[in-house]
Amino acid sequence: MNELDLIAKLTRSLPSNKSVVVGAGDDCAVLDLGLGDKRLLFKTDAVVEGIHFDSTTSPKKIGRKALARCLSDIAAMGGTPTAALITLALPRDFDVAFVEKIYEGMNELASENGVAIAGGETTTNPERILISISLIGTVAKDKCILRSGARVGDAIFVTGELGGSLPQKHLEFEPRLEEGRWLAENFSIHSMIDISDGLAGDLRHLLQPGNLGAELLASAIPVSRAARLQARAESSAKPALLAALTDGEDFELLFTIASRSAVPLIDGWKKRFPKLRLSCIGKILGKPGLLIRDEHGVRSFNAHGYVHFA
Amino acid sequence: MNELDLIAKLTRSLPSNKSVVVGAGDDCAVLDLGLGDKRLLFKTDAVVEGIHFDSTTSPKKIGRKALARCLSDIAAMGGTPTAALITLALPRDFDVAFVEKIYEGMNELASENGVAIAGGETTTNPERILISISLIGTVAKDKCILRSGARVGDAIFVTGELGGSLPQKHLEFEPRLEEGRWLAENFSIHSMIDISDGLAGDLRHLLQPGNLGAELLASAIPVSRAARLQARAESSAKPALLAALTDGEDFELLFTIASRSAVPLIDGWKKRFPKLRLSCIGKILGKPGLLIRDEHGVRSFNAHGYVHFA
């Protein structure tokens, strides 16, 4: 059983209460705790040695990435992060300096983003380091952007460049917090997600519960330089476009907006974020499936993004 | 380096912001998010296979305990839990039915306490199951009880019975949520903690930053039947009193209150919680150290509670 099937099984009938606006299945849980015009965002995310990093990875970057992944999920709701708790599960013979460096990386990124680290705990995991971060944030009640909400005819946008993130970018990416907030505040964004499992895989989350599809224009997909170089360097490597569609760990924002708003959005973006690429890569269709249009015509894309436990 | 030393090192200079009322070092973090007269409680806690449970433990009880530990921390602040996120790190060949039972145990306890399970995530931990739970709750601004706050002359109280919890109670304990709230609402409790590492070890947290001490009356400490039976059954077992002082995993509430309030508290408690023992076990002293008074006189108690990584 893979991760997605397991999650589907476990989340079928979870206990709820009146605080829950959005439960399992979005980038963050959304809770109404009577915060006036704000809602609480609540997220947890873990990285594991040997899976998400290894013992040769810079510990500062491990810590940075662990927190950055959570911040990226807050960004994908249009929210602002507030405070994190850190769970550190360590082998008994852990290296104190290594653990301190992990914290250094987390602390730096937290400070840059005004996030408090309000505590946490340490426990034992004999074989490997596991870092689980729990994060809360807030979002204006009427500006919270969910994964659901895409409409037929929406233009599909993505920030930055995709693919080839594994050698470097996945450890150094900037969570798109400012961009997510700006989008939420200035435009009617219909749906949004951050890309962790690959463009193709995460786009499917915006097409749920299954009645929508998407058509992407191959030439519009912002393939990263890293993906192009990798494709050129190794004959066994994925073609660069496939890397952009499936590599994952990009942590860019993927969102949909009414097509009539596409031009004002692009104009506004260029003024506000002149250094960060924004690409309109396709449109939402009224029937299921993911289509890729290139110079040869339209093809169906069946490969999935990265699936854990596969 | 043991757990407490590591935590002290890592928490020396954590990034903070204006939302943080209480950061690392209490049962929960306390945050001010502008929730009117309420504050947010934020807690994370993990259990690990081979450390906190093993593969022969009932999976329902594993799930129940994982959540109950967090609820106990909310109880120790006088708070009410709202919503949890579940991080499940699993070996690749995990048993789906076992994982479902873990969730069943969590879900049941969550439902009993009006707590929502608002999502979470699954990841891979190849050698063993690790469950990390993140919980938020709320507490009235002026009713939040911290670990700090004990005063010289305070009476020390504990709920329930202590020691010998390892064979059974640690998997089945009731988090003292109603009791914690009732104490916070009806009395001026100076300091409170839940006992996870043993009475002697956790009492020391109420004596921080180090200028206070405590004297306990040996005959007043509520030694559990399980601890007495264990002491009798095995000649190598701890004496029952020592078990009550150091076994840990009791998850009872330990708190201090002005001595003049002791009698009204006991009277009120008997009416409100007639089935749960409440014991006045000693008093707070003005100089550091933990003293035990018994029929032979007063002795200093130097053993620590359970320390991870020891």
Side-chain angles (χ1 to χ4, degrees), chain B residues 106-125:
Chain B
M106 279 191 303
N107 289 350
E108 271 184 26
L109 185 66
S111 296
E112 282 166 35
N113 288 283
V115 176
I117 295 191
E121 66 144 354
T122 59
T123 189
T124 302
N125 191 40

mmCIF file of all heavy atoms in Angstrom, chain B residues 106-125:
data_model
loop_
_atom_site.group_PDB
_atom_site.id
_atom_site.type_symbol
_atom_site.label_atom_id
_atom_site.label_comp_id
_atom_site.label_asym_id
_atom_site.label_seq_id
_atom_site.Cartn_x
_atom_site.Cartn_y
_atom_site.Cartn_z
ATOM 1 N N MET B 106 -6.425 6.314 18.777
ATOM 2 C CA MET B 106 -6.348 7.781 18.826
ATOM 3 C C MET B 106 -7.720 8.403 18.619
ATOM 4 O O MET B 106 -8.106 9.319 19.327
ATOM 5 C CB MET B 106 -5.411 8.293 17.723
ATOM 6 C CG MET B 106 -3.967 8.195 18.093
ATOM 7 S SD MET B 106 -2.884 9.063 16.950
ATOM 8 C CE MET B 106 -3.287 8.290 15.398
ATOM 9 N N ASN B 107 -8.415 7.901 17.611
ATOM 10 C CA ASN B 107 -9.710 8.485 17.269
ATOM 11 C C ASN B 107 -10.699 8.379 18.430
ATOM 12 O O ASN B 107 -11.442 9.322 18.711
ATOM 13 C CB ASN B 107 -10.299 7.794 16.033
ATOM 14 C CG ASN B 107 -9.540 8.139 14.758
ATOM 15 O OD1 ASN B 107 -8.701 9.035 14.758
ATOM 16 N ND2 ASN B 107 -9.833 7.440 13.678
ATOM 17 N N GLU B 108 -10.688 7.223 19.089
ATOM 18 C CA GLU B 108 -11.620 7.034 20.211
ATOM 19 C C GLU B 108 -11.353 8.035 21.322
ATOM 20 O O GLU B 108 -12.273 8.679 21.826
ATOM 21 C CB GLU B 108 -11.472 5.621 20.777
ATOM 22 C CG GLU B 108 -12.366 4.613 20.084
ATOM 23 C CD GLU B 108 -12.269 3.233 20.728
ATOM 24 O OE1 GLU B 108 -11.935 3.128 21.941
ATOM 25 O OE2 GLU B 108 -12.523 2.261 19.994
ATOM 26 N N LEU B 109 -10.075 8.166 21.686
ATOM 27 C CA LEU B 109 -9.746 9.097 22.775
ATOM 28 C C LEU B 109 -10.023 10.540 22.355
ATOM 29 O O LEU B 109 -10.490 11.353 23.161
ATOM 30 C CB LEU B 109 -8.276 8.932 23.188
ATOM 31 C CG LEU B 109 -7.854 9.770 24.393
ATOM 32 C CD1 LEU B 109 -8.571 9.329 25.666
ATOM 33 C CD2 LEU B 109 -6.342 9.710 24.606
ATOM 34 N N ALA B 110 -9.733 10.851 21.088
ATOM 35 C CA ALA B 110 -10.017 12.199 20.591
ATOM 36 C C ALA B 110 -11.513 12.492 20.687
ATOM 37 O O ALA B 110 -11.918 13.541 21.208
ATOM 38 C CB ALA B 110 -9.532 12.339 19.148
ATOM 39 N N SER B 111 -12.329 11.552 20.235
ATOM 40 C CA SER B 111 -13.783 11.747 20.277
ATOM 41 C C SER B 111 -14.267 11.934 21.711
ATOM 42 O O SER B 111 -15.078 12.824 21.991
ATOM 43 C CB SER B 111 -14.507 10.542 19.664
ATOM 44 O OG SER B 111 -14.193 10.438 18.303
ATOM 45 N N GLU B 112 -13.761 11.113 22.614
ATOM 46 C CA GLU B 112 -14.170 11.219 24.027
ATOM 47 C C GLU B 112 -13.899 12.611 24.587
ATOM 48 O O GLU B 112 -14.574 13.065 25.490
ATOM 49 C CB GLU B 112 -13.384 10.221 24.882
ATOM 50 C CG GLU B 112 -13.860 8.780 24.804
ATOM 51 C CD GLU B 112 -12.817 7.821 25.393
ATOM 52 O OE1 GLU B 112 -12.133 8.202 26.367
ATOM 53 O OE2 GLU B 112 -12.681 6.723 24.845
ATOM 54 N N ASN B 113 -12.862 13.261 24.054
ATOM 55 C CA ASN B 113 -12.451 14.558 24.599
ATOM 56 C C ASN B 113 -12.779 15.734 23.682
ATOM 57 O O ASN B 113 -12.276 16.835 23.896
ATOM 58 C CB ASN B 113 -10.957 14.524 24.920
ATOM 59 C CG ASN B 113 -10.657 13.663 26.142
ATOM 60 O OD1 ASN B 113 -10.878 14.083 27.270
ATOM 61 N ND2 ASN B 113 -10.214 12.436 25.908
ATOM 62 N N GLY B 114 -13.600 15.486 22.652
ATOM 63 C CA GLY B 114 -14.016 16.569 21.756
ATOM 64 C C GLY B 114 -12.884 17.135 20.922
ATOM 65 O O GLY B 114 -12.941 18.279 20.470
ATOM 66 N N VAL B 115 -11.836 16.336 20.725
ATOM 67 C CA VAL B 115 -10.663 16.800 19.972
ATOM 68 C C VAL B 115 -10.797 16.373 18.508
ATOM 69 O O VAL B 115 -11.114 15.221 18.225
ATOM 70 C CB VAL B 115 -9.370 16.206 20.565
ATOM 71 C CG1 VAL B 115 -8.151 16.585 19.744
ATOM 72 C CG2 VAL B 115 -9.203 16.646 22.015
ATOM 73 N N ALA B 116 -10.532 17.291 17.593
ATOM 74 C CA ALA B 116 -10.536 16.954 16.174
ATOM 75 C C ALA B 116 -9.163 16.432 15.767
ATOM 76 O O ALA B 116 -8.146 16.907 16.266
ATOM 77 C CB ALA B 116 -10.869 18.190 15.352
ATOM 78 N N ILE B 117 -9.144 15.461 14.877
ATOM 79 C CA ILE B 117 -7.882 15.087 14.217
ATOM 80 C C ILE B 117 -7.960 15.709 12.826
ATOM 81 O O ILE B 117 -8.732 15.288 11.974
ATOM 82 C CB ILE B 117 -7.670 13.575 14.217
ATOM 83 C CG1 ILE B 117 -7.516 13.145 15.693
ATOM 84 C CG2 ILE B 117 -6.437 13.194 13.393
ATOM 85 C CD1 ILE B 117 -7.058 11.748 15.933
ATOM 86 N N ALA B 118 -7.175 16.787 12.661
ATOM 87 C CA ALA B 118 -7.351 17.673 11.500
ATOM 88 C C ALA B 118 -6.362 17.375 10.389
ATOM 89 O O ALA B 118 -6.196 18.177 9.475
ATOM 90 C CB ALA B 118 -7.239 19.129 11.950
ATOM 91 N N GLY B 119 -5.693 16.213 10.458
ATOM 92 C CA GLY B 119 -4.774 15.848 9.388
ATOM 93 C C GLY B 119 -3.448 15.369 9.941
ATOM 94 O O GLY B 119 -3.364 14.874 11.063
ATOM 95 N N GLY B 120 -2.413 15.551 9.141
ATOM 96 C CA GLY B 120 -1.087 15.087 9.530
ATOM 97 C C GLY B 120 -0.349 14.597 8.308
ATOM 98 O O GLY B 120 -0.597 15.049 7.193
ATOM 99 N N GLU B 121 0.561 13.666 8.502
ATOM 100 C CA GLU B 121 1.255 13.126 7.338
ATOM 101 C C GLU B 121 1.852 11.769 7.670
ATOM 102 O O GLU B 121 1.996 11.396 8.830
ATOM 103 C CB GLU B 121 2.355 14.076 6.868
ATOM 104 C CG GLU B 121 3.473 14.232 7.856
ATOM 105 C CD GLU B 121 4.841 14.385 7.188
ATOM 106 O OE1 GLU B 121 4.973 14.261 5.963
ATOM 107 O OE2 GLU B 121 5.801 14.617 7.933
ATOM 108 N N THR B 122 2.179 11.030 6.613
ATOM 109 C CA THR B 122 2.913 9.785 6.799
ATOM 110 C C THR B 122 4.269 9.943 6.121
ATOM 111 O O THR B 122 4.401 10.652 5.131
ATOM 112 C CB THR B 122 2.185 8.592 6.159
ATOM 113 O OG1 THR B 122 2.024 8.860 4.773
ATOM 114 C CG2 THR B 122 0.835 8.369 6.787
ATOM 115 N N THR B 123 5.273 9.314 6.711
ATOM 116 C CA THR B 123 6.588 9.305 6.091
ATOM 117 C C THR B 123 7.241 7.967 6.413
ATOM 118 O O THR B 123 6.625 7.108 7.050
ATOM 119 C CB THR B 123 7.434 10.517 6.545
ATOM 120 O OG1 THR B 123 8.620 10.578 5.763
ATOM 121 C CG2 THR B 123 7.825 10.420 8.009
ATOM 122 N N THR B 124 8.468 7.784 5.959
ATOM 123 C CA THR B 124 9.144 6.494 6.131
ATOM 124 C C THR B 124 10.176 6.581 7.251
ATOM 125 O O THR B 124 10.956 7.527 7.311
ATOM 126 C CB THR B 124 9.852 6.118 4.810
ATOM 127 O OG1 THR B 124 8.870 6.084 3.772
ATOM 128 C CG2 THR B 124 10.501 4.754 4.919
ATOM 129 N N ASN B 125 10.155 5.610 8.157
ATOM 130 C CA ASN B 125 11.208 5.421 9.154
ATOM 131 C C ASN B 125 11.501 3.925 9.129
ATOM 132 O O ASN B 125 10.753 3.139 9.707
ATOM 133 C CB ASN B 125 10.741 5.875 10.545
ATOM 134 C CG ASN B 125 11.879 5.956 11.547
ATOM 135 O OD1 ASN B 125 12.973 6.394 11.221
ATOM 136 N ND2 ASN B 125 11.621 5.527 12.776
#
